[in-house]
Structure formats: structure tokens, C-alpha cells
Amino acid sequence: MNESVLRKLAGGLAANAEALCAWVTVNEPAVAEWLAREAFDAVALDMQHGAIDFDGAMRSILSVALAGKPTIVRVPVGEFALASQLLDAGACGILAPMINSGDDARRLVDFVKYPPLGQRSWGPRVALPLSGLDATAYLNAANAMTQAIAMIETRAALDALDDILAVNGVDGVFVGPSDLSIALSGGATLEPRGAALMTEARRIAERAKAHGKFAAMFCFDGADARAMLALGYRLCTIASDHALIRAAARSELAAARAGRA
């Protein structure tokens, strides 16, 4: 737990590196730590659709830091005040769902970044000791270390994509492929890798690069993540904790029963 943990994600992305993240939904810090001890570059905690509460998120952030990795947290829709609390607790990035306009993006930045970029309130009770910096040095470095990531998952977000990317303090955009595919079909289908979704996915990656920012994507397995990296996505999640557990269980059960009547 040192300065490098808080800088790892931002430093890698700034250097144009690729990052592969674990996706955690269960409210058990040990699960986040187990995955952090594998070769993932970061761990993402899902407080929107997962079962993670604030206490669980705080404990998970510390467990992941103990394993030497940074943590991103997806907050519930509109919970920008929670974003500031999570950064104070040592999170390195905030993933905000349903960012549909430049104004939404600016509001996110207000809670994630200190002045002059935003209006984040001072109180880094865990982030400061984790950083290894004194208070003034942390204040000066925090905006570069903490990632404000806007989710793109609606038609409104697609229409406002350049406005969102142009907001000073937004570090990247994250495609929610399931919701975006529903939006593109007018609610008719769920096709997170359908032709319509992939057309927009390419455009999002291109526009992010044009703005000097990164594009990120929720991916369903390792092969899917490899394909998205090839499209220009620089941060990709791989499956989820529960999906990985179920896949491993199916694989081992199949192996145990292979050739048996």
C-alpha cells in the first residue's frame, strides 16, 4: 500500500498502456482481493447492479490495495456524492452510469476532481495515507491520479459524445454494451455484440482517441476483451466474479464426469 497503488491506473493509461480489470459484484472483500492477486491490472467494484454496499466497498478497496492493485468503483446512477466518499476511501477511479450530456459529465467532474477542475471536498482520510504524500502534495497530484469515467449507454449519450469527451476532467468513457444495445434497438433486443452496437463501439473508440482520452468496455470473457483491445479500447473488464465462478464450476464438473455413465 503505497503511492504506486494510487498512481498505477492513471499512470498506465497516460502512457497509452492497456488495462484489464476484474469485475466484482459480491459484498465480500476477500473476493476482490483474490482477483487482485491474479494478473489483473485493476479491480472494478459494481455498486450499481452488484450487491456491494459502502462498507463493503471501503473494505474491498483496502484489500485490493493490500494486493498492490488500484480500484475503480461504479456508483449507482446519479450518486455523485458517493463518488467523493469512495475517492476519500482510496478508490482510484469512478465509473458513473447514464452520463447523457456535457452537463452530466461536468457534474461528475465536480465531485471527482479538486479545484480548479472540480469542486471535490477535502477529506481524503484513507487516500492520503495510501498515497504516501503529505497533504499539499496529495492535493496537487490527486486530479491526475483519480479517473473520472463517463458511461456511454444511451442514444442521448451517443448524440452528446463529443460534448462529454470535451469536458475538462473527464478522463475516459466506458461503454455499457447491454444497455446501449437495448437503447439502439428501441428496447426490442439485447445484443451487446450486435452489428448496431459494434458500429457505435468503433465510433466511440475513435472519438475518444481524437480527444486524447481513453475508451473502456465491459467485456464478457477474455477473447471478447482481446477483440475490444484490437478495436482501440484501452481498459477492458473481463467477465465478472460470479461468471468466473460458474464457468470454473462447469468446467471442473464436466472434467469430473467426462467418460462416466
Side-chain angles (χ1 to χ4, degrees):
M1 292 187 293
N2 52 41
E3 179 182 350
S4 64
V5 171
L6 292 183
R7 292 182 182 273
K8 274 183 177 179
L9 181 64
L13 292 169
N16 208 37
E18 297 170 344
L20 296 174
C21 299
W23 190 268
V24 175
T25 66
V26 298
N27 200 32
E28 172 48 64
V31 173
E33 183 181 347
W34 293 337
L35 290 171
R37 292 191 181 280
E38 299 303 323
F40 290 104
D41 299 296
V43 172
L45 306 177
D46 186 4
M47 296 182 72
Q48 181 188 13
H49 293 300
I52 300 172
D53 59 21
F54 183 64
D55 183 67
M58 288 192 300
R59 294 175 185 273
S60 294
I61 289 166
L62 287 174
S63 294
V64 171
L66 184 65
K69 300 291 176 63
T71 302
I72 303 166
V73 186
R74 177 163 76 168
V75 297
V77 178
E79 293 287 341
F80 296 121
L82 180 59
S84 293
Q85 291 179 285
L86 291 162
L87 293 173
D88 289 344
C92 296
I94 297 297
L95 184 57
M98 296 294 173
I99 299 298
N100 293 325
S101 66
D103 285 342
D104 287 348
R106 280 183 283 274
R107 188 157 180 252
L108 168 63
V109 170
D110 271 346
F111 284 89
V112 172
K113 306 288 188 177
Y114 289 118
L117 290 178
Q119 300 296 325
R120 179 182 166 190
S121 179
W122 180 258
R125 55 186 180 77
V126 177
L128 181 58
L130 276 181
S131 74
L133 303 172
D134 64 32
T136 299
Y138 175 79
L139 175 62
N140 292 332
N143 284 350
M145 288 194 294
T146 55
Q147 302 293 290
I149 310 169
M151 288 196 71
I152 306 298
E153 46 192 345
T154 66
R155 285 188 176 274
L158 290 175
D159 291 342
L161 180 61
D162 281 301
D163 291 341
I164 293 168
L165 285 164
V167 172
N168 194 13
V170 168
D171 297 289
V173 291
F174 185 105
V175 177
S178 295
D179 278 324
L180 186 54
S181 76
I182 293 170
L184 289 170
S185 71
T189 61
L190 175 63
E191 294 183 293
R193 288 294 176 263
L197 185 285
M198 292 309 298
T199 295
E200 293 298 340
R202 291 182 182 90
R203 184 173 74 90
I204 292 166
E206 290 168 359
R207 295 314 303 155
K209 184 176 181 180
H211 282 268
K213 300 184 178 183
F214 66 85
M217 173 74 79
F218 183 94
C219 300
F220 299 94
D221 54 34
D224 187 35
R226 183 172 66 250
M228 295 304 109
L229 291 172
L231 280 185
Y233 283 82
R234 305 227 328 272
L235 186 154
C236 292
T237 62
I238 298 179
S240 64
D241 48 4
H242 62 85
L244 291 172
I245 290 168
R246 293 185 67 191
R250 286 193 294 267
S251 176
E252 296 307 321
L253 285 167
R257 290 173 173 148
R260 299 182 65 85

